[in-house]
Amino acid sequence: EAGVAQSPRYKIIEKRQSVAFWCNPISGHATLYWYQQILGQGPKLLIQFQNNGVVDDSQLPKDRFSAERLKGVDSTLKIQPAKLEDSAVYLCASSFGGGRRFEEQFFGPGTRLTVL
Amino acid sequence: EDKVVQSPLSLVVHEGDTVTLNCSYEVTNFRSLLWYKQEKKAPTFLFMLTSSGIEKKSGRLSSILDKKELFSILNITATQTGDSAIYLCARSNDYKLSFGAGTTVTVRA
């Protein structure tokens, strides 16, 4: 079974530029998560999708971050414009869905973003 | 935000030592307590604990939950260099996980 795929693996941009990350979850997983992990901290949930609907985006800085999962499969996370404090690893995870299964999350390799 | 506190923040041990990691959490809407191992970037699932006092084991790793005192411990016995990683604790509520900052474990040969 293929794991969660993410691209790119690394990205370096200047502040005020825009950047996009892509995630393809495990086949059949209805729920998709984007996490931000700043160095020295645990992953923080940015947004959670159930199929193509948003379950929770309460910690997504909506003035600069956006995310979509149009067909309920792959997803993109965009930052525009980027700030220095956005430097972090962006992790995508997926799970089967609700009930007990959502806790069994499978993580992708992440994208390390550096904003200069 | 649901608070999860891990201790220590980091530790260095020698191969063969035993390591005990701690995780405390807030009780609001608690469903389960999870442990993940993070090497490089992707966290990988270790344990999910829902019942108090029942130890879960996987090889040299074991974990237990105390729902009265609101904490969990993760033990690693006979440590190996491959155990070097960040160990993350997370609690779940109805639909999401909240992670602690992690404990960085370094095992020296």
Side-chain angles (χ1 to χ4, degrees):
Chain A
E1 175 180 82
V4 176
Q6 288 188 248
S7 66
R9 297 292 302 275
Y10 303 90
K11 191 74 177 178
I12 300 173
I13 61 172
E14 302 274 336
K15 61 183 178 182
R16 289 187 291 274
Q17 286 186 323
S18 63
V19 64
F21 312 126
W22 175 82
C23 172
N24 192 30
I26 292 174
S27 178
H29 280 195
T31 308
L32 185 147
Y33 314 80
W34 283 102
Y35 289 90
Q36 179 193 58
Q37 187 174 21
I38 293 171
L39 187 64
Q41 299 180 19
K44 181 182 84 171
L45 180 69
L46 292 175
I47 189 166
Q48 176 182 343
F49 292 96
Q50 178 81 14
N51 297 307
N52 60 351
V54 175
V55 174
D56 184 350
D57 64 356
S58 58
Q59 297 195 86
L60 187 74
K62 298 181 185 66
D63 58 334
R64 298 184 300 106
F65 285 64
S66 65
E68 60 183 14
R69 193 184 185 200
L70 289 175
K71 296 182 179 177
V73 181
D74 58 348
S75 175
T76 55
L77 176 70
K78 296 179 182 177
I79 308 175
Q80 182 179 9
K83 292 185 175 181
L84 296 177
E85 58 261 37
D86 298 331
S87 294
V89 174
Y90 290 85
L91 294 164
C92 179
S94 69
S95 67
F96 279 103
R100 188 64 76 185
R101 305 305 294 275
F102 88 88
E103 287 141 322
E104 300 174 45
Q105 295 185 18
F106 297 83
F107 285 81
T111 297
R112 184 179 300 279
L113 174 67
T114 302
V115 182
L116 302 175
Chain B
E1 191 171 324
D2 301 320
K3 198 164 184 181
V4 178
V5 179
Q6 294 187 243
S7 64
L9 289 181
S10 65
L11 71 162
V12 180
V13 298
H14 291 282
E15 274 192 317
D17 288 350
T18 294
V19 163
T20 298
L21 310 180
N22 302 289
C23 174
S24 64
Y25 63 92
E26 292 183 343
V27 74
T28 309
N29 295 325
F30 175 83
R31 273 175 55 121
S32 63
L33 192 292
L34 297 98
W35 287 95
Y36 282 80
K37 178 181 182 182
Q38 187 172 28
E39 298 171 278
K40 304 292 184 185
K41 286 187 276 187
T44 53
F45 173 82
L46 293 175
F47 298 110
M48 182 168 73
L49 305 156
T50 55
S51 300
S52 209
I54 298 174
E55 185 183 52
K56 290 212 171 180
K57 293 196 72 164
S58 176
R60 297 176 294 102
L61 277 66
S62 63
S63 185
I64 197 162
L65 176 67
D66 185 326
K67 293 172 76 172
K68 182 180 177 185
E69 300 297 330
L70 307 182
F71 77 91
S72 173
I73 60 171
L74 175 69
N75 281 317
I76 311 173
T77 59
T79 51
Q80 302 171 357
T81 54
D83 295 326
S84 295
I86 299 171
Y87 290 84
L88 295 166
C89 170
R91 53 147 286 169
S92 70
N93 64 5
D94 289 338
Y95 66 91
K96 71 176 186 181
L97 301 182
S98 298
F99 286 86
T103 295
T104 301
V105 174
T106 304
V107 181
R108 299 209 190 283

